Amino acid sequence: MNILTFDIEEWYIEKVLHGGREFKLRQYDEAFSKLLDELDRLNIKATFFCVGRLAAEFPQVVKTIAERGHEVGCHSNEHTWLTKMDEGTIRHDTAEAVKALQDVCGQSVTAYRAPAFSITERNKWALEVLTECGIESDSSIFPAARDFGGYPTFPQDTPCIIRHGGASLKEYPIGMTNIFGKKIAYSGGGYFRLLPYGLVTKTMGNRDYNICYFHLNDLIDQRIKMKSRQEYEEYFNEPGTLKNRLTRYIKSNIGTGDGYAKLVRLMGDVRFVSLREANGTIEWDKVNTIEL
Ligand SMILES: [Zn+2]
């Protein structure tokens, strides 16, 4: 089973950080519509995790996703890492996002992905808060070390049921592979852009479960300008040293030139489904239950 997901926040982040520059918004519009046309052409349905603020500020994006037959999931309200919010704030953030997205798309929104996979060993209680807000499926667990998130001690990288407190959730962790003895992701973001196509498809072919994840920025041929110290500190909420800013800059730009072409090729070679479709085919009574 291969699941295709996108995390969608670009228009909103552009507005917050830069006031919504015309040429950037147009670039996102174009990449988005090209992607939707390609999905139609290949008859693929995907899950689009959207930030709640998009529903308020760029509702046509959320509406279009639903109208084209895709699943709308929740990617927090304002793209704030969950590691930076306390329990009450996460509850408020999620409830607001789910409501705003549902009102605009007309679907019930029950799938969630945290920005930057920011559910970790330390804030795993957040999963229980998500269920209180109507979330039934989650794809926020990145079972390896990672900037701003990651859950290296999570015991598996295939679908499972997570139990925490009184809550129970269907979890779709990100798949991992071993390269030179190091556990790394292969099916999305910078890893997908960086790794040779043949290695990605070979890894996917050897597994029964893969979940691919992209932001529009992964698929646009662009040079993202290095953030100023002030922009960096506002966005990442950590010191905007030259080293930190340079690391993010390199990670954001590596391989973006052919990201889209690579994804289109993959969509032609591999049969993809949305999370909603996967939910219906997984035998949930046969998967592991993990008590956190
Ligand atoms: Zn995101």
PDB file of all heavy atoms in Angstrom, residues 55-86:
ATOM      1  N   ALA A  55      -8.228  27.994   5.345  1.00  0.00           N
ATOM      2  CA  ALA A  55      -9.674  27.997   5.150  1.00  0.00           C
ATOM      3  C   ALA A  55     -10.225  29.410   5.300  1.00  0.00           C
ATOM      4  O   ALA A  55     -11.162  29.808   4.608  1.00  0.00           O
ATOM      5  CB  ALA A  55     -10.343  27.057   6.150  1.00  0.00           C
ATOM      6  N   ALA A  56      -9.623  30.181   6.211  1.00  0.00           N
ATOM      7  CA  ALA A  56     -10.095  31.549   6.424  1.00  0.00           C
ATOM      8  C   ALA A  56      -9.539  32.501   5.370  1.00  0.00           C
ATOM      9  O   ALA A  56     -10.245  33.381   4.885  1.00  0.00           O
ATOM     10  CB  ALA A  56      -9.680  32.010   7.822  1.00  0.00           C
ATOM     11  N   GLU A  57      -8.274  32.319   5.002  1.00  0.00           N
ATOM     12  CA  GLU A  57      -7.630  33.338   4.167  1.00  0.00           C
ATOM     13  C   GLU A  57      -7.514  32.965   2.691  1.00  0.00           C
ATOM     14  O   GLU A  57      -7.418  33.843   1.844  1.00  0.00           O
ATOM     15  CB  GLU A  57      -6.252  33.648   4.750  1.00  0.00           C
ATOM     16  CG  GLU A  57      -6.393  34.063   6.206  1.00  0.00           C
ATOM     17  CD  GLU A  57      -5.254  34.926   6.672  1.00  0.00           C
ATOM     18  OE1 GLU A  57      -4.686  35.647   5.857  1.00  0.00           O
ATOM     19  OE2 GLU A  57      -4.935  34.835   7.872  1.00  0.00           O
ATOM     20  N   PHE A  58      -7.448  31.688   2.402  1.00  0.00           N
ATOM     21  CA  PHE A  58      -7.375  31.245   0.996  1.00  0.00           C
ATOM     22  C   PHE A  58      -8.337  30.072   0.816  1.00  0.00           C
ATOM     23  O   PHE A  58      -7.934  28.967   0.447  1.00  0.00           O
ATOM     24  CB  PHE A  58      -5.935  30.823   0.637  1.00  0.00           C
ATOM     25  CG  PHE A  58      -4.933  31.943   0.748  1.00  0.00           C
ATOM     26  CD1 PHE A  58      -4.261  32.178   1.944  1.00  0.00           C
ATOM     27  CD2 PHE A  58      -4.668  32.771  -0.343  1.00  0.00           C
ATOM     28  CE1 PHE A  58      -3.349  33.224   2.056  1.00  0.00           C
ATOM     29  CE2 PHE A  58      -3.750  33.816  -0.243  1.00  0.00           C
ATOM     30  CZ  PHE A  58      -3.084  34.044   0.962  1.00  0.00           C
ATOM     31  N   PRO A  59      -9.646  30.323   1.070  1.00  0.00           N
ATOM     32  CA  PRO A  59     -10.596  29.198   1.105  1.00  0.00           C
ATOM     33  C   PRO A  59     -10.676  28.424  -0.201  1.00  0.00           C
ATOM     34  O   PRO A  59     -10.972  27.226  -0.201  1.00  0.00           O
ATOM     35  CB  PRO A  59     -11.936  29.866   1.444  1.00  0.00           C
ATOM     36  CG  PRO A  59     -11.752  31.308   1.152  1.00  0.00           C
ATOM     37  CD  PRO A  59     -10.308  31.619   1.333  1.00  0.00           C
ATOM     38  N   GLN A  60     -10.380  29.109  -1.324  1.00  0.00           N
ATOM     39  CA  GLN A  60     -10.490  28.399  -2.618  1.00  0.00           C
ATOM     40  C   GLN A  60      -9.534  27.211  -2.685  1.00  0.00           C
ATOM     41  O   GLN A  60      -9.822  26.218  -3.349  1.00  0.00           O
ATOM     42  CB  GLN A  60     -10.302  29.359  -3.801  1.00  0.00           C
ATOM     43  CG  GLN A  60      -8.886  29.822  -4.079  1.00  0.00           C
ATOM     44  CD  GLN A  60      -8.366  30.881  -3.080  1.00  0.00           C
ATOM     45  OE1 GLN A  60      -9.068  31.292  -2.146  1.00  0.00           O
ATOM     46  NE2 GLN A  60      -7.130  31.317  -3.281  1.00  0.00           N
ATOM     47  N   VAL A  61      -8.403  27.291  -1.972  1.00  0.00           N
ATOM     48  CA  VAL A  61      -7.439  26.182  -1.988  1.00  0.00           C
ATOM     49  C   VAL A  61      -8.083  24.944  -1.355  1.00  0.00           C
ATOM     50  O   VAL A  61      -8.072  23.847  -1.929  1.00  0.00           O
ATOM     51  CB  VAL A  61      -6.140  26.567  -1.223  1.00  0.00           C
ATOM     52  CG1 VAL A  61      -5.225  25.357  -1.077  1.00  0.00           C
ATOM     53  CG2 VAL A  61      -5.417  27.710  -1.918  1.00  0.00           C
ATOM     54  N   VAL A  62      -8.666  25.137  -0.189  1.00  0.00           N
ATOM     55  CA  VAL A  62      -9.263  24.009   0.550  1.00  0.00           C
ATOM     56  C   VAL A  62     -10.489  23.472  -0.206  1.00  0.00           C
ATOM     57  O   VAL A  62     -10.681  22.255  -0.326  1.00  0.00           O
ATOM     58  CB  VAL A  62      -9.658  24.473   1.974  1.00  0.00           C
ATOM     59  CG1 VAL A  62     -10.290  23.340   2.757  1.00  0.00           C
ATOM     60  CG2 VAL A  62      -8.434  25.027   2.706  1.00  0.00           C
ATOM     61  N   LYS A  63     -11.284  24.409  -0.725  1.00  0.00           N
ATOM     62  CA  LYS A  63     -12.489  24.033  -1.472  1.00  0.00           C
ATOM     63  C   LYS A  63     -12.123  23.192  -2.694  1.00  0.00           C
ATOM     64  O   LYS A  63     -12.741  22.170  -2.976  1.00  0.00           O
ATOM     65  CB  LYS A  63     -13.192  25.325  -1.919  1.00  0.00           C
ATOM     66  CG  LYS A  63     -14.694  25.284  -1.717  1.00  0.00           C
ATOM     67  CD  LYS A  63     -15.323  26.593  -2.135  1.00  0.00           C
ATOM     68  CE  LYS A  63     -15.521  27.494  -0.938  1.00  0.00           C
ATOM     69  NZ  LYS A  63     -16.000  28.820  -1.248  1.00  0.00           N
ATOM     70  N   THR A  64     -11.093  23.645  -3.411  1.00  0.00           N
ATOM     71  CA  THR A  64     -10.692  22.946  -4.642  1.00  0.00           C
ATOM     72  C   THR A  64     -10.245  21.520  -4.340  1.00  0.00           C
ATOM     73  O   THR A  64     -10.576  20.587  -5.068  1.00  0.00           O
ATOM     74  CB  THR A  64      -9.542  23.713  -5.344  1.00  0.00           C
ATOM     75  OG1 THR A  64      -9.986  25.050  -5.547  1.00  0.00           O
ATOM     76  CG2 THR A  64      -9.183  23.094  -6.677  1.00  0.00           C
ATOM     77  N   ILE A  65      -9.484  21.346  -3.267  1.00  0.00           N
ATOM     78  CA  ILE A  65      -8.999  20.009  -2.901  1.00  0.00           C
ATOM     79  C   ILE A  65     -10.190  19.058  -2.742  1.00  0.00           C
ATOM     80  O   ILE A  65     -10.211  17.954  -3.293  1.00  0.00           O
ATOM     81  CB  ILE A  65      -8.164  20.073  -1.605  1.00  0.00           C
ATOM     82  CG1 ILE A  65      -6.843  20.807  -1.864  1.00  0.00           C
ATOM     83  CG2 ILE A  65      -7.900  18.668  -1.050  1.00  0.00           C
ATOM     84  CD1 ILE A  65      -6.087  21.198  -0.607  1.00  0.00           C
ATOM     85  N   ALA A  66     -11.209  19.531  -2.013  1.00  0.00           N
ATOM     86  CA  ALA A  66     -12.386  18.694  -1.777  1.00  0.00           C
ATOM     87  C   ALA A  66     -13.169  18.475  -3.065  1.00  0.00           C
ATOM     88  O   ALA A  66     -13.596  17.353  -3.360  1.00  0.00           O
ATOM     89  CB  ALA A  66     -13.266  19.332  -0.713  1.00  0.00           C
ATOM     90  N   GLU A  67     -13.338  19.536  -3.846  1.00  0.00           N
ATOM     91  CA  GLU A  67     -14.119  19.410  -5.083  1.00  0.00           C
ATOM     92  C   GLU A  67     -13.482  18.443  -6.072  1.00  0.00           C
ATOM     93  O   GLU A  67     -14.180  17.790  -6.839  1.00  0.00           O
ATOM     94  CB  GLU A  67     -14.257  20.787  -5.765  1.00  0.00           C
ATOM     95  CG  GLU A  67     -15.355  21.626  -5.153  1.00  0.00           C
ATOM     96  CD  GLU A  67     -15.297  23.090  -5.596  1.00  0.00           C
ATOM     97  OE1 GLU A  67     -14.473  23.435  -6.478  1.00  0.00           O
ATOM     98  OE2 GLU A  67     -16.073  23.885  -5.035  1.00  0.00           O
ATOM     99  N   ARG A  68     -12.162  18.360  -6.027  1.00  0.00           N
ATOM    100  CA  ARG A  68     -11.484  17.443  -6.963  1.00  0.00           C
ATOM    101  C   ARG A  68     -11.447  16.022  -6.406  1.00  0.00           C
ATOM    102  O   ARG A  68     -10.789  15.146  -6.955  1.00  0.00           O
ATOM    103  CB  ARG A  68     -10.069  17.943  -7.256  1.00  0.00           C
ATOM    104  CG  ARG A  68     -10.015  19.352  -7.854  1.00  0.00           C
ATOM    105  CD  ARG A  68     -10.397  19.391  -9.319  1.00  0.00           C
ATOM    106  NE  ARG A  68      -9.323  18.965 -10.187  1.00  0.00           N
ATOM    107  CZ  ARG A  68      -8.471  19.786 -10.817  1.00  0.00           C
ATOM    108  NH1 ARG A  68      -8.598  21.101 -10.680  1.00  0.00           N
ATOM    109  NH2 ARG A  68      -7.523  19.307 -11.589  1.00  0.00           N
ATOM    110  N   GLY A  69     -12.123  15.796  -5.286  1.00  0.00           N
ATOM    111  CA  GLY A  69     -12.301  14.425  -4.786  1.00  0.00           C
ATOM    112  C   GLY A  69     -11.234  13.949  -3.812  1.00  0.00           C
ATOM    113  O   GLY A  69     -11.173  12.765  -3.484  1.00  0.00           O
ATOM    114  N   HIS A  70     -10.366  14.864  -3.347  1.00  0.00           N
ATOM    115  CA  HIS A  70      -9.311  14.464  -2.425  1.00  0.00           C
ATOM    116  C   HIS A  70      -9.775  14.630  -0.973  1.00  0.00           C
ATOM    117  O   HIS A  70     -10.760  15.295  -0.700  1.00  0.00           O
ATOM    118  CB  HIS A  70      -8.051  15.300  -2.686  1.00  0.00           C
ATOM    119  CG  HIS A  70      -7.555  15.157  -4.094  1.00  0.00           C
ATOM    120  ND1 HIS A  70      -6.954  14.008  -4.552  1.00  0.00           N
ATOM    121  CD2 HIS A  70      -7.618  16.005  -5.152  1.00  0.00           C
ATOM    122  CE1 HIS A  70      -6.647  14.164  -5.833  1.00  0.00           C
ATOM    123  NE2 HIS A  70      -7.039  15.369  -6.227  1.00  0.00           N
ATOM    124  N   GLU A  71      -9.004  14.039  -0.093  1.00  0.00           N
ATOM    125  CA  GLU A  71      -9.321  14.153   1.328  1.00  0.00           C
ATOM    126  C   GLU A  71      -8.643  15.400   1.913  1.00  0.00           C
ATOM    127  O   GLU A  71      -7.466  15.649   1.654  1.00  0.00           O
ATOM    128  CB  GLU A  71      -8.810  12.915   2.087  1.00  0.00           C
ATOM    129  CG  GLU A  71      -9.048  13.022   3.592  1.00  0.00           C
ATOM    130  CD  GLU A  71      -8.532  11.812   4.371  1.00  0.00           C
ATOM    131  OE1 GLU A  71      -7.665  11.073   3.862  1.00  0.00           O
ATOM    132  OE2 GLU A  71      -9.024  11.619   5.505  1.00  0.00           O
ATOM    133  N   VAL A  72      -9.385  16.162   2.701  1.00  0.00           N
ATOM    134  CA  VAL A  72      -8.802  17.291   3.429  1.00  0.00           C
ATOM    135  C   VAL A  72      -8.495  16.828   4.847  1.00  0.00           C
ATOM    136  O   VAL A  72      -9.379  16.362   5.571  1.00  0.00           O
ATOM    137  CB  VAL A  72      -9.769  18.504   3.464  1.00  0.00           C
ATOM    138  CG1 VAL A  72      -9.218  19.615   4.346  1.00  0.00           C
ATOM    139  CG2 VAL A  72     -10.019  19.032   2.044  1.00  0.00           C
ATOM    140  N   GLY A  73      -7.230  16.926   5.232  1.00  0.00           N
ATOM    141  CA  GLY A  73      -6.816  16.630   6.602  1.00  0.00           C
ATOM    142  C   GLY A  73      -6.370  17.918   7.270  1.00  0.00           C
ATOM    143  O   GLY A  73      -6.381  18.984   6.652  1.00  0.00           O
ATOM    144  N   CYS A  74      -5.972  17.823   8.520  1.00  0.00           N
ATOM    145  CA  CYS A  74      -5.595  19.010   9.288  1.00  0.00           C
ATOM    146  C   CYS A  74      -4.074  19.023   9.526  1.00  0.00           C
ATOM    147  O   CYS A  74      -3.492  18.010   9.915  1.00  0.00           O
ATOM    148  CB  CYS A  74      -6.352  18.980  10.617  1.00  0.00           C
ATOM    149  SG  CYS A  74      -5.922  20.342  11.702  1.00  0.00           S
ATOM    150  N   HIS A  75      -3.469  20.187   9.297  1.00  0.00           N
ATOM    151  CA  HIS A  75      -2.019  20.358   9.478  1.00  0.00           C
ATOM    152  C   HIS A  75      -1.792  21.487  10.496  1.00  0.00           C
ATOM    153  O   HIS A  75      -0.972  22.357  10.264  1.00  0.00           O
ATOM    154  CB  HIS A  75      -1.410  20.685   8.109  1.00  0.00           C
ATOM    155  CG  HIS A  75       0.090  20.628   8.017  1.00  0.00           C
ATOM    156  ND1 HIS A  75       0.862  19.643   8.591  1.00  0.00           N
ATOM    157  CD2 HIS A  75       0.983  21.447   7.389  1.00  0.00           C
ATOM    158  CE1 HIS A  75       2.140  19.866   8.319  1.00  0.00           C
ATOM    159  NE2 HIS A  75       2.246  20.961   7.602  1.00  0.00           N
ATOM    160  N   SER A  76      -2.567  21.436  11.588  1.00  0.00           N
ATOM    161  CA  SER A  76      -2.594  22.475  12.629  1.00  0.00           C
ATOM    162  C   SER A  76      -3.292  23.725  12.118  1.00  0.00           C
ATOM    163  O   SER A  76      -3.706  23.775  10.958  1.00  0.00           O
ATOM    164  CB  SER A  76      -1.190  22.849  13.138  1.00  0.00           C
ATOM    165  OG  SER A  76      -0.582  23.807  12.275  1.00  0.00           O
ATOM    166  N   ASN A  77      -3.409  24.736  12.954  1.00  0.00           N
ATOM    167  CA  ASN A  77      -4.109  25.940  12.509  1.00  0.00           C
ATOM    168  C   ASN A  77      -3.167  26.945  11.867  1.00  0.00           C
ATOM    169  O   ASN A  77      -3.462  27.510  10.831  1.00  0.00           O
ATOM    170  CB  ASN A  77      -4.845  26.581  13.687  1.00  0.00           C
ATOM    171  CG  ASN A  77      -5.947  27.511  13.212  1.00  0.00           C
ATOM    172  OD1 ASN A  77      -6.585  27.232  12.178  1.00  0.00           O
ATOM    173  ND2 ASN A  77      -6.170  28.599  13.910  1.00  0.00           N
ATOM    174  N   GLU A  78      -1.990  27.129  12.486  1.00  0.00           N
ATOM    175  CA  GLU A  78      -1.082  28.174  11.985  1.00  0.00           C
ATOM    176  C   GLU A  78       0.316  27.651  11.698  1.00  0.00           C
ATOM    177  O   GLU A  78       1.264  28.409  11.590  1.00  0.00           O
ATOM    178  CB  GLU A  78      -0.990  29.311  13.011  1.00  0.00           C
ATOM    179  CG  GLU A  78      -2.317  29.987  13.257  1.00  0.00           C
ATOM    180  CD  GLU A  78      -2.220  31.088  14.297  1.00  0.00           C
ATOM    181  OE1 GLU A  78      -1.125  31.293  14.864  1.00  0.00           O
ATOM    182  OE2 GLU A  78      -3.246  31.746  14.535  1.00  0.00           O
ATOM    183  N   HIS A  79       0.452  26.351  11.626  1.00  0.00           N
ATOM    184  CA  HIS A  79       1.747  25.724  11.359  1.00  0.00           C
ATOM    185  C   HIS A  79       2.760  25.962  12.484  1.00  0.00           C
ATOM    186  O   HIS A  79       3.977  26.011  12.266  1.00  0.00           O
ATOM    187  CB  HIS A  79       2.337  26.197  10.016  1.00  0.00           C
ATOM    188  CG  HIS A  79       3.200  25.150   9.353  1.00  0.00           C
ATOM    189  ND1 HIS A  79       4.573  25.205   9.369  1.00  0.00           N
ATOM    190  CD2 HIS A  79       2.874  24.018   8.682  1.00  0.00           C
ATOM    191  CE1 HIS A  79       5.048  24.141   8.708  1.00  0.00           C
ATOM    192  NE2 HIS A  79       4.040  23.414   8.298  1.00  0.00           N
ATOM    193  N   THR A  80       2.265  26.037  13.708  1.00  0.00           N
ATOM    194  CA  THR A  80       3.164  26.125  14.864  1.00  0.00           C
ATOM    195  C   THR A  80       3.521  24.704  15.300  1.00  0.00           C
ATOM    196  O   THR A  80       2.630  23.857  15.392  1.00  0.00           O
ATOM    197  CB  THR A  80       2.436  26.828  16.032  1.00  0.00           C
ATOM    198  OG1 THR A  80       1.929  28.073  15.541  1.00  0.00           O
ATOM    199  CG2 THR A  80       3.371  27.069  17.206  1.00  0.00           C
ATOM    200  N   TRP A  81       4.792  24.453  15.549  1.00  0.00           N
ATOM    201  CA  TRP A  81       5.216  23.115  15.985  1.00  0.00           C
ATOM    202  C   TRP A  81       4.441  22.767  17.265  1.00  0.00           C
ATOM    203  O   TRP A  81       4.304  23.602  18.163  1.00  0.00           O
ATOM    204  CB  TRP A  81       6.692  23.032  16.345  1.00  0.00           C
ATOM    205  CG  TRP A  81       7.753  23.456  15.388  1.00  0.00           C
ATOM    206  CD1 TRP A  81       9.079  23.549  15.708  1.00  0.00           C
ATOM    207  CD2 TRP A  81       7.662  23.826  14.014  1.00  0.00           C
ATOM    208  NE1 TRP A  81       9.789  23.957  14.588  1.00  0.00           N
ATOM    209  CE2 TRP A  81       8.957  24.133  13.554  1.00  0.00           C
ATOM    210  CE3 TRP A  81       6.606  23.941  13.118  1.00  0.00           C
ATOM    211  CZ2 TRP A  81       9.216  24.529  12.239  1.00  0.00           C
ATOM    212  CZ3 TRP A  81       6.864  24.334  11.810  1.00  0.00           C
ATOM    213  CH2 TRP A  81       8.142  24.608  11.393  1.00  0.00           C
ATOM    214  N   LEU A  82       4.015  21.538  17.399  1.00  0.00           N
ATOM    215  CA  LEU A  82       3.296  21.135  18.612  1.00  0.00           C
ATOM    216  C   LEU A  82       4.210  21.174  19.836  1.00  0.00           C
ATOM    217  O   LEU A  82       3.742  21.332  20.971  1.00  0.00           O
ATOM    218  CB  LEU A  82       2.693  19.733  18.436  1.00  0.00           C
ATOM    219  CG  LEU A  82       1.243  19.750  17.912  1.00  0.00           C
ATOM    220  CD1 LEU A  82       1.134  20.420  16.562  1.00  0.00           C
ATOM    221  CD2 LEU A  82       0.669  18.357  17.847  1.00  0.00           C
ATOM    222  N   THR A  83       5.517  21.032  19.606  1.00  0.00           N
ATOM    223  CA  THR A  83       6.470  21.091  20.717  1.00  0.00           C
ATOM    224  C   THR A  83       6.520  22.489  21.345  1.00  0.00           C
ATOM    225  O   THR A  83       7.083  22.666  22.412  1.00  0.00           O
ATOM    226  CB  THR A  83       7.879  20.729  20.216  1.00  0.00           C
ATOM    227  OG1 THR A  83       8.085  21.368  18.954  1.00  0.00           O
ATOM    228  CG2 THR A  83       8.055  19.241  20.043  1.00  0.00           C
ATOM    229  N   LYS A  84       5.943  23.469  20.659  1.00  0.00           N
ATOM    230  CA  LYS A  84       5.968  24.838  21.194  1.00  0.00           C
ATOM    231  C   LYS A  84       4.641  25.228  21.825  1.00  0.00           C
ATOM    232  O   LYS A  84       4.460  26.374  22.213  1.00  0.00           O
ATOM    233  CB  LYS A  84       6.305  25.816  20.072  1.00  0.00           C
ATOM    234  CG  LYS A  84       7.723  25.650  19.566  1.00  0.00           C
ATOM    235  CD  LYS A  84       7.987  26.552  18.389  1.00  0.00           C
ATOM    236  CE  LYS A  84       9.386  26.288  17.867  1.00  0.00           C
ATOM    237  NZ  LYS A  84       9.598  26.875  16.554  1.00  0.00           N
ATOM    238  N   MET A  85       3.682  24.297  21.869  1.00  0.00           N
ATOM    239  CA  MET A  85       2.365  24.644  22.427  1.00  0.00           C
ATOM    240  C   MET A  85       2.085  23.790  23.663  1.00  0.00           C
ATOM    241  O   MET A  85       2.484  22.631  23.723  1.00  0.00           O
ATOM    242  CB  MET A  85       1.276  24.385  21.381  1.00  0.00           C
ATOM    243  CG  MET A  85       1.349  25.295  20.158  1.00  0.00           C
ATOM    244  SD  MET A  85      -0.163  25.181  19.147  1.00  0.00           S
ATOM    245  CE  MET A  85       0.287  23.936  17.968  1.00  0.00           C
ATOM    246  N   ASP A  86       1.375  24.384  24.627  1.00  0.00           N
ATOM    247  CA  ASP A  86       0.959  23.577  25.777  1.00  0.00           C
ATOM    248  C   ASP A  86      -0.376  22.905  25.454  1.00  0.00           C
ATOM    249  O   ASP A  86      -0.956  23.119  24.382  1.00  0.00           O
ATOM    250  CB  ASP A  86       0.915  24.415  27.058  1.00  0.00           C
ATOM    251  CG  ASP A  86      -0.119  25.528  26.980  1.00  0.00           C
ATOM    252  OD1 ASP A  86      -1.040  25.447  26.127  1.00  0.00           O
ATOM    253  OD2 ASP A  86      -0.003  26.498  27.751  1.00  0.00           O
TER     254      ASP A  86
END
